[in-house]
């Protein structure tokens, strides 16, 4: 049932006057980062190495200077965004592990170009918020949250932008990141990959669900498995790679940049690193918390219900300055040996930006991997421990048999599940439906 609502919009995202004597901005910005030739060669034409060399030769013959943009396919490959990272720390005198000498290559899209492409998509017109807003229902005046820009975090970021005279009036574009580790077994020796995706928080929820152009693949990080000594370097490798990959966004985090938006107008844009959506195991990697500790606060794993200070970059810096790394690990659950990638970006605190991956962390992790498995083990113990009774079919070895018969199934249906377990599943499933609602109120939270 629809409710009447009234909105409070943040005074942001206004069009600024442009000097009438300044040259007109082109509809399609051409620069040294133009990806047109590469997209044609790799995606549309799908050229082989020999055909790329032939194209470069013909290109040079037809140009006035006789020099093509690329001499051969090798120079073309080097031009595409890529980087190599190597270990440069302390080394052992003997038996140096192979990973210390190996160069790790990463391929990625320019994040600034991805943001420009998303903003310039006219299909998002009418489904795009240019400023944060607060939504209240009429009557009881309860605040509700629907799209990302209706949240308190976006509103607070807009306040900070409005207080700065150099950014006042600019359109705030939060950069939303997400990743989910996957494993590739064939021909890669069980190599782990982290595909990282990028989107902007201005797009409405229904567009995210239905329009694939609202989410872009940013990079496909390759993290090979190795000995335990490699683990710390692997974590730092991720943060260094992310810092360099997102480096082009720094220019629009402090100085407004003119970009075309879905309404067809050019706006002054200020970007900021927004929520990072991932499951708990990847949150350990991204936020340098110790596994089994809470990712949002410093509560001990043995007592998560007690109130403890939230994880904040300022708190982490103070702890690293005053305490030993071992004490920080044991008493605060923080890995002080890792430097976070958000350290290089203004107004970015990854500790406050972690967001759960609902399908993987809540539904698959909480329901399937934990509750279903736990109840299955519980029922197996109960079934195996059932005493002899006339008319009761017993399974002294549990239900771990290879082949079921119709009689087995009928007998297992007579098993009893305690009311507390049924109530637990009811409460958990109700919570899953609540967090997936399109509109959430403060009462729901």
């Amino acid at each position: 049932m629809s409710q009447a609502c009234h909105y409070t919009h943040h005074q942001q995202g206004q069009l600024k006057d442009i000097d009438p004597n300044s040259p007109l901005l082109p509809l399609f910005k051409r620069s040294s980062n133009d990806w047109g030739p590469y997209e044609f060669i790799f995606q549309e034409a799908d050229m082989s190495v020999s055909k790329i060399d032939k194209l470069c030769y013909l290109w040079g013959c037809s140009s006035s200077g006789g020099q093509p943009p690329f001499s051969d396919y090798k120079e073309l490959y080097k031009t595409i965004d890529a980087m190599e990272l190597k270990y440069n720390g302390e080394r052992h005198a003997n038996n140096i592990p192979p990973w210390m000498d190996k160069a790790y290559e990463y391929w990625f899209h320019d994040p600034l170009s991805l943001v420009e492409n998303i903003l310039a998509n006219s299909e998002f017109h009418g489904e795009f918020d240019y400023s944060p807003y607060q939504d209240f229902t009429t009557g009881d005046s309860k605040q509700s949250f629907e799209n990302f820009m209706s949240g308190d975090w976006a509103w607070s970021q807009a306040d900070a932008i409005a207080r700065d005279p150099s950014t006042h009036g600019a359109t705030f574009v939060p950069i939303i990141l997400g990743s989910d580790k996957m494993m590739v077994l064939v021909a890669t020796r069980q190599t782990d990959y982290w595909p990282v995706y990028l989107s902007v928080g201005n797009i409405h929820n229904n567009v995210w669900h239905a329009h694939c152009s609202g989410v872009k693949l940013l990079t496909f990080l390759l993290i090979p498995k190795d000995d335990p000594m490699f683990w710390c370097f692997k974590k730092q490798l991720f943060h260094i790679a992310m810092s360099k990959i997102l480096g082009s966004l720094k220019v629009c985090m402090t100085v407004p940049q003119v970009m075309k938006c879905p309404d067809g107008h050019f706006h002054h844009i200020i970007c900021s690193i927004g929520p990072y959506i991932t499951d708990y195991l990847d949150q350990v990697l991204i936020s340098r918390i110790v596994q089994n500790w809470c990712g949002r606060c410093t509560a001990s794993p043995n007592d998560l219900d007690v109130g403890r200070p939230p994880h904040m970059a300022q708190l982490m810096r103070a702890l690293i300055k005053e305490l030993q790394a071992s004490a920080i690990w044991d008493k605060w659950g923080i890995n002080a040996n890792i430097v976070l990638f958000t350290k290089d970006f203004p107004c970015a605190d990854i500790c406050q930006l972690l967001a759960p991956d609902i399908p993987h962390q809540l539904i698959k992790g909480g329901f399937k991997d934990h509750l279903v498995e736990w109840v299955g083990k519980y029922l197996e113990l109960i079934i195996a421990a059932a005493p002899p009774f006339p008319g009761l079919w017993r399974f002294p070895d549990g239900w771990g048999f290879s082949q079921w018969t119709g009689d087995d199934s009928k007998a297992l249906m007579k098993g009893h599940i305690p009311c507390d377990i049924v109530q637990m599943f009811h409460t958990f499933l109700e919570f899953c439906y609540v967090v997936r609602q399109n509109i959430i109120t403060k009462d729901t939270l």
Side-chain angles (χ1 to χ4, degrees), residues 12-228:
Q12 192 192 22
Q14 302 171 353
L15 294 176
K16 288 190 174 182
D17 293 335
I18 299 178
D19 185 359
N21 297 323
S22 62
L24 294 176
L25 293 173
L27 291 178
F28 299 96
K29 187 176 180 181
R30 309 287 296 190
S31 66
S32 57
N33 294 326
D34 180 20
W35 287 86
Y38 315 118
E39 293 178 351
F40 171 76
I41 292 174
F42 288 99
Q43 296 183 3
E44 299 181 22
D46 192 17
M47 289 188 178
S48 62
V49 169
S50 59
K51 291 184 178 180
I52 293 176
D53 286 342
K54 184 176 181 179
L55 176 63
C56 293
Y57 171 76
L58 297 175
W59 204 339
C61 294
S62 61
S63 61
S64 58
Q67 292 293 331
F70 315 102
S71 59
D72 54 15
Y73 77 93
K74 294 182 180 179
E75 185 177 354
L76 175 64
Y77 285 177
K78 291 181 179 180
T79 307
I80 301 174
D81 283 338
M83 64 179 177
E84 288 187 353
L85 298 175
K86 295 183 65 175
Y87 176 80
N88 61 354
E90 297 181 359
R91 294 173 175 267
H92 303 290
N94 300 315
N95 299 325
I96 299 177
W99 58 266
M100 289 188 176
D101 294 323
K102 184 178 179 180
Y104 300 92
E105 191 174 55
Y106 296 96
W107 302 82
F108 59 95
H109 290 287
D110 178 17
L112 183 58
S113 298
L114 295 181
V115 172
E116 290 177 337
N117 290 337
I118 295 176
L119 297 183
N121 193 337
S122 60
E123 295 182 4
F124 297 148
H125 181 51
E127 305 287 350
F128 190 94
D129 293 320
Y130 293 90
S131 63
Y133 65 92
Q134 293 179 338
D135 185 7
F136 298 87
T137 58
T138 56
D140 52 10
S141 296
K142 292 182 179 180
Q143 186 174 359
S144 60
F145 307 92
E146 181 177 5
N147 299 308
F148 182 82
M149 296 296 276
S150 67
D152 293 338
W153 181 84
W155 186 273
S156 63
Q157 295 297 307
D159 281 341
I161 293 173
R163 286 193 295 265
D164 188 347
S166 64
T167 59
H168 179 75
T171 299
F172 174 52
V173 176
I175 306 300
I176 298 179
L177 301 171
S179 61
D180 181 29
K181 184 179 69 173
M182 60 182 295
M183 181 181 293
V184 179
L185 302 178
V186 180
T188 59
R189 299 180 181 179
Q190 295 188 349
T191 299
D192 290 339
Y193 289 86
W194 272 275
V196 181
Y197 302 92
L198 178 146
S199 186
V200 298
N202 310 75
I203 302 175
H204 291 179
N205 293 343
N206 61 304
V207 178
W208 267 331
H209 297 161
H211 204 298
C212 59
S213 297
V215 180
K216 301 288 187 180
L217 178 63
L218 174 63
T219 182
F220 205 65
L221 299 178
L222 182 149
I223 307 293
K225 290 188 174 182
D226 215 302
D227 58 83

Side-chain angles (χ1 to χ4, degrees), residues 362-427:
L362 182 61
I363 298 175
K364 180 182 180 298
F367 182 78
K368 179 179 179 296
D369 296 339
H370 178 67
L371 292 181
V372 173
E373 183 178 354
W374 172 68
V375 173
K377 291 181 179 179
Y378 171 81
L379 292 178
E380 186 171 2
L381 293 175
I382 295 299
I383 292 173
F389 191 83
L392 179 64
W393 197 297
R394 297 186 66 245
F395 299 91
D397 297 327
W399 55 30
F401 36 82
S402 58
Q403 186 175 0
W404 289 37
T405 65
D407 293 336
D408 294 332
S409 300
K410 294 177 182 178
L412 286 172
M413 290 179 185
K414 299 178 181 179
H416 174 69
I417 298 179
C419 295
D420 291 342
I421 293 182
V422 176
Q423 182 63 36
M424 176 197 64
F425 271 92
H426 176 271
T427 304

